Amino acid sequence: MATIVQKYGGTSVGSIERIQSVAARVIDTVKAGNSVVVVVSAMGKTTDGLVALAREISDQPSRREMDMLLSTGEQVSIALLSMALQAAGQPAISLTGAQIGIVTEASHTRARILSIDPDRLRRHLDEGKVVVAAGFQGISNADDLEITTLGRGGSDTSAVALAAALRADACEIYTDVPGVLTTDPRLVPEAQIMAEISCDEMLELASLGAKVLHPRAVEIARNYGVPLIVKSSWTTDPGTRVVSQPVGDRPLENLEIARPVDAIRYNTNQAQIGLLRVPDRPGIAAKLFGELAKQAVDVDLIIQSIHEGNTNDIAFTVTEQEADRAEAMAGAIAPTLRTEPTRPMETEGAEAELVVDRHVAEVSIYGAGMIGRPGVAAQMFKTLADAGINIETISTSEVQVGCIIAPGDNAADRDLEALCQRAVAALRHTFELDTDQFLPEVLPIEQPASPDEPPVRGVALDRNQSQIAVRNVPDRPGMAAKIFELLAEKSISVDTIVQSQRRIVVNGSPTRHIAFTTAATEAEAARAVLLAAGQEFGWGEVVVNAQVAKVSAVGTGMINRPGVAAQMFNALAAKGINLLMITTSAIKISCVVEQDQGVEALKAVHEAFDLSGEYQASNVHGLTPAK
């Protein structure tokens, strides 16, 4: 007999008729020989209504009382669904988060799960009952018995956590969309339903705003090897399987990792190649990486910083073994990128100047817990600064912060391996990682892709972005940390961070530019904070572009597959779309573009990787793409 956890969202239980429909589906699952736990959200817009009631009482209701209030929404759903099952002859029992034994942090409105005691659940399942569990809620501890809620995506998180605790055979997430789509069907009607996606890919897409699954739920599934299936509440279609790698037995204590970082990676086999002052026009990145791809040069990290006048800097990393070939190729391409291709490059400061550092390392932190937590990047930068390690370049994603470091001038810093070990030891201490959570050199995600695997699984667009550039930041340890500490103190979340490779000498001292994106609503607050601190810390002007968008391509199939970035850049160049910033991780490429070109960029990338197919969103009941 299999154990199945099913989760139904608010729309799925939004009326008595829909609750009865869910009950029928649950009974069919039981009749197929399964034990079933059902996790439900509050009915329809119940939570919104409760929030509105609270606002009528107080502009700033306490977090504790909000948890007490909002937890009642799920209790209505579980009671009604249990009644519907019982009325149909199926034994069932409804349980709150506390009755299930979900113990969380004592953090109201955004608690994380610490442990689950599944004994009561198993007892009811052994009695032949369906357990109908309240999602989104738990209890702080046995002493205080404080009701807590898990925040956005809490019901998904509850369901996957229960599946992990029960060692369930599957966790089925029923929603009002038919599965995980290659992109937003409201913007691209040709969006295709994926049959399968890996947890790592889903984590990136969820972090980029794909609302079908919350990143916290995906992270639990990955850590505990929970098979996830995303299905429509309205059809019997197979939906999308979210595949996780098998894992061994793992304790249920600290089930949902409360720390923002759960792994560290470093790689000393890296060389960095930069082209400085490349003309800022569409097609430059496409040409550079297209030529590298033709010669099968496998590029790892790509960084394009903010423009300086009419030029940009582009840097990328390759393995040390590829450095000579990559340098030769970049040197041959450089003249074709200049405004005057035939003009010789005789002096430092010319267009497309080639800079090569043959021995650098990448140090990265990973974790879905950093999403929505301002200050994680600042903690990393400060940790490295306190260890006396200067950062050459920075490239980030929503679930990763990566830094390129180089050997120092003094004897203690010349050994790059020892320097990385020092960085890792310091980061482990900062982020409270145990030895078995430190994964040196290569994470599983970095393994070469199968030749049959598509290079890109899905694409995403965030139009709610602003780009902020801090120019001429003094190039010394601790300056990047200070910038992002100041922002974190004001609870300003930062998405993409890029530190340029080029050093610019100002009044005899080397400086670099640092750029980042943040939510458009936080741009002015960020600018004000950094302007106020500029004189004290010695950086230059703070420039805001309030109207940008970020388009991203995600896929484990791009690992060790030359040409994927070039394909994306070519697609954008063909539409005349200029790239304002580029940042990459192992399985993601993100480009910042002008806001009014965002949708066109999304469509171009989706088409470039042939992500449309026969099983399209527009053909599925329950989802109507925008016209």
Side-chain angles (χ1 to χ4, degrees), residues 362-375:
E362 179 188 352
V363 178
S364 300
I365 58 174
Y366 296 80
M370 66 179 68
I371 300 167
R373 287 190 179 184

Side-chain angles (χ1 to χ4, degrees), residues 171-241:
C171 180
E172 300 173 347
I173 305 294
Y174 288 91
T175 182
D176 53 1
V177 294
V180 182
L181 301 164
T182 52
T183 193
D184 187 341
R186 295 168 299 180
L187 302 176
V188 185
E190 298 79 22
Q192 182 183 2
I193 301 164
M194 305 179 208
E196 185 175 289
I197 185 172
S198 73
C199 267
D200 290 308
E201 292 166 322
M202 189 68 244
L203 185 57
E204 286 283 7
L205 288 171
S207 305
L208 290 163
K211 294 180 172 56
V212 67
L213 281 173
H214 195 276
R216 289 167 60 182
V218 180
E219 186 176 34
I220 296 171
R222 183 184 64 178
N223 291 339
Y224 285 86
V226 176
L228 272 176
I229 307 170
V230 180
K231 295 184 175 185
S232 170
S233 296
W234 324 120
T235 73
T236 58
D237 293 328
T240 302
R241 298 187 65 85

Side-chain angles (χ1 to χ4, degrees), residues 449-455 457 557 561:
S450 162
D452 298 328
E453 191 173 354
R457 192 80 68 174
R561 184 177 285 175

